[in-house]
Amino acid sequence: MKRHKLYIPLIAVILAVLSACSSAPTKQEKQAVAPAKPQVSQQQAYRYPPSQLPAMKSLGVFPKPSALEPAVDFWRKTYGVWRRSEVAFYDDRYMDVIYEVMVLPGSVGEGLTNEQKEIVSRRKEYWKSQLTALDFKVRARVPLNPFEKQLHAKLQNSRNKAFVLAGASERLRSQRGIKERFKRGLEISGRYDSQFRKIFREYSLPEDFAFLPHVESSFQASAKSSAGAVGMWQFTRGAAETFMPNNNKPDRRHDPIVSAHGAARYLRHAYNKLGDWPTAVTSYNHGINGMKRAQNQIGNDFARIVQSYNSPLFGFDSRNYYAQFLAARDIASNPMAYFREGVSYERPMVRAQYLAAE
């Protein structure tokens, strides 16, 4: 709940064999990039999320307008396909336009070395110069070379072909894959999934909000953003005072269970103010007042808000927040389509641990 998010990213696959499991994931059309989910044996049980089938009843709560599909697909690739050694160069408005996915040389860790950062910077400048030159040639009706023709065709294949080339060099952006980080978030999420879902049910909210920490923190309880938001659910101090009052107790924003209650209170309040889940979810990043201003200016069509709302504060992160949530939900709901080697989910917290945290 901040204006600037951390990284982005629970889990789920079909547990046909696991009858002892409780509350579950997923509630929206899933976009798998691969085959059907395999059956799970008793021996494999704890390699899969502890709660699963019940959440299927909530499909359709989170709509996916067709205009958002390019962004959702982009974030599915970022979370579940591209590794941290891969960097995509793309158009930050027309996200189906991906110019290149470059593989960085050498060993690549969670953070890039100065040399690797320089490689990314130089490659970005290369694509910027190519797009600038292409724009000039097309406007001046100068013949294009074979590479420029190929690049122009890529832009023309976008859904918004009439507008893509103009300003493309200014919309150029790079994004590292975070597949390894997302998988680790899936593993950690096994510890909290059942309890998070139970909390959202208590507030009469969609259970799949249990996936939101994939986007906020990758389920890292110690996460901290540049805006001062901390914990798995990324609360700023001000938001915490409103939605998770501690009655003069120590700051408990690093407590995943307490913060989940705060997130539930916030999301219920946001929905009551804004009237739909896409806008309420986006307000977790952009604020309720900010999204209300967007509705007042554009109307209640969320896809139009994403495409047309013009505000200095409604930047790339805010425009993409809901798409990131949908992408994280898709992957966490069908992890074997992205992590065929399996995901070793952590064991769920026991009841005594829940009570100690509350």
Side-chain angles (χ1 to χ4, degrees):
M1 154 153 358
K2 52 196 178 349
R3 294 194 181 272
H4 302 292
K5 355 172 298 315
L6 262 194
Y7 252 125
I8 32 272
L10 199 179
I11 44 193
V13 111
I14 286 205
L15 292 192
V17 173
L18 203 52
S19 58
C21 296
S22 62
S23 50
T26 192
K27 286 178 256 149
Q28 177 200 236
E29 326 86 272
K30 295 188 282 177
Q31 299 255 274
V33 227
K37 310 165 216 163
Q39 297 297 313
V40 180
S41 69
Q42 285 287 14
Q43 291 84 353
Q44 292 175 305
Y46 265 109
R47 297 183 63 211
Y48 299 90
S51 55
Q52 180 100 24
L53 296 176
M56 297 299 291
K57 65 187 178 184
S58 54
L59 282 166
V61 171
F62 299 108
K64 186 192 297 177
S66 60
L68 296 188
E69 178 53 34
V72 176
D73 186 57
F74 178 88
W75 292 110
R76 279 195 296 263
K77 291 184 174 77
T78 300
Y79 295 155
V81 177
W82 298 330
R83 300 185 177 277
R84 63 190 179 195
S85 59
E86 296 175 285
V87 182
F89 298 89
Y90 66 101
D91 190 302
D92 73 3
R93 278 284 187 176
Y94 309 109
M95 295 174 72
D96 53 339
V97 178
I98 300 171
Y99 301 108
E100 176 187 24
V101 179
M102 177 184 72
V103 179
L104 290 168
S107 176
V108 181
E110 184 72 21
L112 296 182
T113 65
N114 289 335
E115 181 182 2
Q116 289 165 340
K117 289 178 183 176
E118 180 60 26
I119 290 171
V120 173
S121 179
R122 287 200 303 267
R123 197 61 181 170
K124 188 173 181 180
E125 284 305 311
Y126 163 81
W127 281 109
K128 189 179 181 71
S129 65
Q130 292 295 327
L131 290 167
T132 301
L134 177 62
D135 190 19
F136 172 78
K137 284 189 171 185
V138 169
R139 290 174 184 274
R141 300 181 183 275
V142 174
L144 305 180
N145 64 36
F147 172 77
E148 290 166 339
K149 288 179 180 178
Q150 186 179 31
L151 181 57
H152 194 219
K154 180 189 289 287
L155 293 166
Q156 288 184 316
N157 284 336
S158 169
R159 297 184 181 193
N160 298 282
K161 62 180 68 176
F163 306 100
V164 175
L165 181 55
S169 63
E170 300 305 315
R171 298 190 306 271
L172 178 66
R173 195 177 179 97
S174 63
Q175 172 68 49
R176 283 181 71 195
I178 59 166
K179 182 171 184 173
E180 297 89 343
R181 183 181 177 92
F182 194 93
K183 182 180 179 182
R184 180 57 188 143
L186 285 173
E187 293 170 348
I188 298 170
S189 71
R191 181 174 175 81
Y192 301 102
D193 182 59
S194 295
Q195 181 63 3
F196 285 173
R197 291 180 178 280
K198 176 177 177 290
I199 289 168
F200 288 115
R201 287 198 305 271
E202 288 173 356
Y203 288 86
S204 299
L205 298 177
E207 289 183 25
D208 278 5
F209 280 130
F211 294 139
L212 196 59
H214 283 298
V215 181
E216 286 294 313
S217 64
S218 295
F219 279 82
Q220 301 296 314
S222 61
K224 184 174 182 178
S225 78
S226 58
V230 302
M232 191 176 289
W233 294 89
Q234 288 292 283
F235 272 87
T236 60
R237 190 173 295 277
E241 289 173 358
T242 301
F243 295 101
M244 43 188 290
N246 59 11
N247 299 318
N248 298 319
K249 294 178 182 178
D251 187 350
R252 301 182 72 189
R253 289 179 292 163
H254 286 294
D255 186 316
I257 303 301
V258 173
S259 296
H261 280 282
R265 294 185 193 103
Y266 174 85
L267 289 163
R268 184 173 63 182
H269 177 69
Y271 182 84
N272 289 338
K273 291 287 186 181
L274 298 167
D276 66 72
W277 282 125
T279 312
V281 169
T282 304
S283 79
Y284 202 89
N285 177 271
H286 189 63
I288 293 173
N289 290 337
M291 294 311 298
K292 185 50 104 175
R293 284 192 292 272
Q295 287 181 331
N296 291 340
Q297 180 177 318
I298 303 296
N300 292 333
D301 184 331
F302 181 73
R304 285 194 61 233
I305 289 174
V306 169
Q307 292 173 330
S308 306
Y309 181 50
N310 186 18
S311 166
L313 298 178
F314 193 72
F316 179 82
D317 288 346
S318 297
R319 288 201 314 271
N320 279 272
Y321 193 80
Y322 183 62
Q324 288 177 283
F325 172 66
L326 293 181
R329 181 172 173 264
D330 285 349
I331 296 173
S333 300
N334 185 16
M336 288 300 292
Y338 300 83
F339 304 97
R340 300 190 187 194
E341 70 279 14
V343 177
S344 298
Y345 291 94
E346 294 185 3
R347 289 178 177 269
M349 292 174 67
V350 299
R351 179 65 181 166
Q353 290 173 303
Y354 295 158
L355 294 174
E358 289 174 345

